[in-house]
Amino acid sequence: MLVLGLETSCDETGVALYDSERGLLGDALFSQIDLHKAYGGVVPELASRDHVKRMLPLIREVLEQSGCATSDINAIAYTAGPGLVGALLVGAACAQALAFAWDIPALGVHHMEGHLLAPMLEETPPEFPFVALLVSGGHTQLVRVDGIGQYQLLGESLDDAAGEAFDKTAKLIGLGYPGGPEIARLALSGVPGRFVFPRPMTDRPGLDFSFSGLKTFALNTWTQCRDAGDDGEQTRCDIALAFQTAVVETLTIKCRRALKQTHLNRLVIAGGVSANQALRRSLEKMLGEFKGNVFYARPAFCTDNGAMIAYAGCQRLLAGQHEGPEISVQARWPMEQLPAI
């Protein structure tokens, strides 16, 4: 089965072609970072308009890249949520219109299930069951995964997601957008131990997260330094390192607890923050205690992309899942509501 995948949940337009027998045949992505940089964050209306502009040219690019014709496509998978409603509607409307024109089925895919399954596109995919850490700008969750659609939520962020905290903290200390990569870059030049940030919610049982307080702690630290005339680049680097270290250690502690609780030794990390090298190193070291493995997608597939949507949609289509021609999206969509296959 050849599936066209469309991703438009936020500020990246992703298109890919996935074949159930030959694997990924084509992939293209347009990021709107430069468009939103002047505003310090994503402007939903601008994001939606740009998806409209980019979608068809990217589909043509992927078809040319893969050497396929529209008549070869058997189905279309698109992101139906969660995400920005206007952006989601662009992908959904395009998918349903093309499906109607080509007389093929279209299927809405859960954005976070796409992230969770992205490591399946690698040469050595994880086997079920495993614990997944879904960590992005909008989500921080620990999930036990026994199969596609067989998800048990173990813990989640009670306020800011980790990626959101990265972006907001970067903005508070005067860094550019997107903030996560900026903090990771500055942290490389930070002095370890100059600032020590708390590890939120690690002194109590449970697997929930809270990163809002870290953001406030970083702001207070920066304000104190600035008031003392110590607001140079090195101070920013030291704060960036302290913040990143606190987030990484907090995520690692919670993942260790989840593995012990579930008696599993396989961990999947997915979502934009999973590209953070400090987090990967920390989790790889921790998995040594369990004599297990940590799995993640290549950097290009950690952030939003069409390949993960095409793959996730293909698995559900092969299992017989289908939907009607209605254009329906969900800004909020608990992953536990997904049917098992």
Side-chain angles (χ1 to χ4, degrees):
M1 176 179 284
L2 182 62
V3 178
L4 176 68
L6 308 180
E7 156 61 23
T8 62
S9 66
C10 190
D11 62 337
E12 288 167 318
T13 313
V15 176
L17 271 174
Y18 179 83
D19 187 273
S20 56
E21 297 181 358
R22 295 178 290 168
L24 185 64
L25 303 183
D27 172 64
L29 182 75
F30 184 86
S31 175
Q32 300 176 6
I33 286 178
D34 291 340
L35 176 64
H36 300 288
K37 187 175 293 186
Y39 305 95
V42 177
V43 181
E45 177 62 22
L46 295 181
S48 302
R49 289 172 181 266
D50 204 66
H51 286 312
V52 173
K53 179 180 178 180
R54 308 294 175 181
M55 182 59 70
L56 292 181
L58 286 176
I59 292 175
R60 296 189 187 99
E61 179 182 335
V62 168
L63 287 170
E64 183 177 348
Q65 184 184 122
S66 60
C68 296
T70 57
S71 57
D72 298 324
I73 299 174
N74 304 118
I76 303 177
Y78 63 93
T79 304
L84 301 175
V85 170
L88 291 168
L89 283 170
V90 175
C94 181
Q96 292 289 7
L98 291 177
F100 179 79
W102 298 341
D103 193 25
I104 58 176
L107 180 68
V109 172
H110 193 288
H111 178 72
M112 294 311 294
E113 181 173 67
H115 275 303
L116 188 152
L117 297 178
M120 299 295 184
L121 292 164
E122 303 303 319
E123 290 186 7
T124 307
E127 296 180 0
F128 301 113
F130 55 78
V131 171
L133 171 65
L134 302 178
V135 58
S136 67
H139 300 81
T140 299
Q141 298 177 325
L142 278 167
V143 181
R144 178 187 171 116
V145 182
D146 290 293
I148 297 178
Q150 301 176 48
Y151 307 131
Q152 177 189 356
L153 180 64
L154 303 175
E156 62 184 340
S157 180
L158 304 179
D159 41 56
D160 289 352
E164 182 181 7
F166 265 103
D167 287 339
K168 288 181 176 179
T169 298
K171 189 173 183 178
L172 289 173
I173 65 174
L175 301 179
Y177 173 84
E182 282 294 295
I183 285 184
R185 179 182 63 83
L186 290 186
L188 295 173
S189 302
V191 176
R194 181 184 173 191
F195 301 111
V196 179
F197 285 21
R199 278 56 172 161
M201 297 187 70
T202 58
D203 58 349
R204 66 188 76 177
L207 296 172
D208 287 331
F209 303 90
S210 172
F211 294 108
S212 181
L214 273 181
K215 175 186 63 183
T216 303
F217 197 95
L219 174 61
N220 291 339
T221 302
W222 172 245
T223 300
Q224 291 170 8
C225 292
R226 188 179 57 198
D227 291 346
D230 183 14
D231 58 351
E233 186 71 4
Q234 186 58 53
T235 295
R236 279 195 176 90
C237 292
D238 297 342
I239 291 175
L241 176 60
F243 176 83
Q244 176 177 268
T245 301
V247 173
V248 166
E249 290 190 4
T250 299
L251 293 172
T252 302
I253 290 169
K254 297 288 186 171
C255 286
R256 181 187 291 112
R257 288 183 186 176
L259 292 169
K260 287 183 177 180
Q261 179 177 310
T262 57
H263 305 290
L264 297 173
N265 68 347
R266 285 187 291 271
L267 177 70
V268 166
I269 55 171
V273 182
S274 68
N276 184 283
Q277 294 302 307
L279 177 60
R280 290 190 177 193
R281 289 192 299 268
S282 179
L283 292 176
E284 287 170 355
K285 181 179 179 181
M286 184 269 291
L287 258 294
E289 301 175 18
F290 295 85
K291 297 181 180 179
N293 299 102
V294 59
F295 300 85
Y296 38 75
R298 70 197 76 168
F301 293 163
C302 290
T303 54
D304 297 348
N305 63 87
M308 67 183 193
I309 301 303
Y311 177 84
C314 184
Q315 306 314 305
R316 290 191 169 275
L317 287 158
L318 287 172
Q321 188 173 333
H322 58 84
E323 64 184 23
E326 299 83 9
I327 297 174
S328 177
V329 299
Q330 301 183 59
R332 298 182 182 275
W333 188 5
M335 201 164 62
E336 309 91 270
Q337 294 180 356
L338 296 175
I341 65 172

